[in-house]
């Protein structure tokens, strides 16, 4: 079984630019989440996509947007980059079962290190 | 905000058991306790989870108190490769149960 892969691994952008980060979910998973991890902090939830629709969002502005494709891969787009957007961006995938109260786990990728200068 | 409280750092001797505590006094009845760890420059790795009962797998054991207000992750024979930040997380089930991370516990396993 394949894991979660993210690309690129490292990226440097200039303030005000736009960036797209990509994630390929683990085979068979139907949900993808994105997290931002600043240096020395725990990951912070950005949003989650379930069956190609956003179904949860953390405290991030609208310039953070995403897509989930039919093959369950995903993109995170950030517009108008700010210096504080410099962080490790993590993608996590999971298989959410039909039972609304059921438990499930997440598999994380190794992340994309974004530096905004 | 994270619903858990963990010590900032802990040390453990190689080969000894590492016991990592976590307080989650406001946990709800439908929320699970999860443990993840993050080795430097990698994504978080799932370790174990539980609801009410104690759990054990090939990596660790999870002991949850009867009132569910705290738990302990036990690594029975810590190795140098277990040096990492360990996150205790409570989350509900269902499709919207995202993970809310705190700052975790930095575990240093020393020879």
């Amino acid at each position: 079984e394949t894991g979660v892969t993210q690309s690129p691994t490292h990226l440097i952008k200039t303030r005000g630019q736009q960036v797209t980060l990509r994630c390929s979910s683990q085979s068979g998973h139907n949900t993808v989440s994105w997290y931002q991890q600043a240096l020395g902090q725990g990951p912070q939830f950005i949003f989650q996509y379930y069956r190609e629709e956003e179904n949860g969002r953390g405290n991030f502005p609208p310039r953070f947007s995403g897509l989930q494709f039919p093959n369950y891969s995903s993109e995170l787009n950030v517009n108008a980059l700010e210096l504080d957007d410099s962080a490790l961006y993590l993608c996590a995938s999971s298989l959410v079962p039909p039972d609304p109260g059921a438990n499930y786990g997440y598999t994380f990728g190794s992340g994309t290190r974004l530096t905004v200068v | 905000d994270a619903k858990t409280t963990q010590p900032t750092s802990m040390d453990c001797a190689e080969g000894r058991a590492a016991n990592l505590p976590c307080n989650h006094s406001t946990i709800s009845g439908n929320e699970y306790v999860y443990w993840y760890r993050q080795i430097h420059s990698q994504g978080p790795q799932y370790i174990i989870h539980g609801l009410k009962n104690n759990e054990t797998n090939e990596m660790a054991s999870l002991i949850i108190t009867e009132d569910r207000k705290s738990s302990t992750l036990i690594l029975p024979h810590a190795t140098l490769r277990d040096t990492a930040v360990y996150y205790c997380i409570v989350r509900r089930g269902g499709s919207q149960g995202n993970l809310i991370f705190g700052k975790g516990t930095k575990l240093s396993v020393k020879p």
Side-chain angles (χ1 to χ4, degrees), chain A residues 71-90:
Chain A
N71 64 355
Y72 302 120
S73 63
S74 176
E75 287 182 355
L76 165 66
N77 299 291
V78 187
N79 294 322
L81 283 166
E82 301 176 359
L83 297 180
D84 286 348
D85 295 333
S86 295
L88 179 68
Y89 287 85
L90 295 161

Side-chain angles (χ1 to χ4, degrees), chain B:
Chain B
D1 290 345
K3 298 178 65 173
T4 62
T5 304
Q6 299 177 251
T8 302
S9 63
M10 293 181 64
D11 290 340
C12 178
E14 188 178 19
R16 303 297 295 270
N19 297 279
L20 291 88
C22 179
N23 287 319
H24 31 80
S25 58
T26 61
I27 191 170
S28 301
N30 63 348
E31 289 181 319
Y32 294 80
V33 179
Y34 277 76
W35 284 84
Y36 280 77
R37 73 180 183 184
Q38 189 172 25
I39 297 171
H40 184 61
S41 297
Q42 297 182 20
Q45 176 191 24
Y46 166 82
I47 302 173
I48 199 167
H49 73 275
L51 183 62
K52 296 180 182 179
N53 301 319
N54 298 338
E55 303 287 344
T56 296
N57 63 20
E58 64 279 4
M59 290 183 67
S61 294
L62 174 61
I63 307 299
I64 302 175
T65 58
E66 190 170 346
D67 63 7
R68 301 209 324 125
K69 293 185 176 182
S70 66
S71 61
T72 300
L73 177 75
I74 301 172
L75 307 179
H77 305 287
T79 70
L80 299 179
R81 289 177 295 179
D82 292 323
T83 293
V85 177
Y86 287 76
Y87 296 100
C88 170
I89 299 163
V90 297
R91 63 174 285 267
R92 55 189 172 91
S95 64
Q96 296 188 3
N98 55 279
L99 300 171
I100 300 176
F101 290 82
K103 292 190 176 182
T105 296
K106 169 66 175 176
L107 175 68
S108 298
V109 181
K110 300 181 183 298

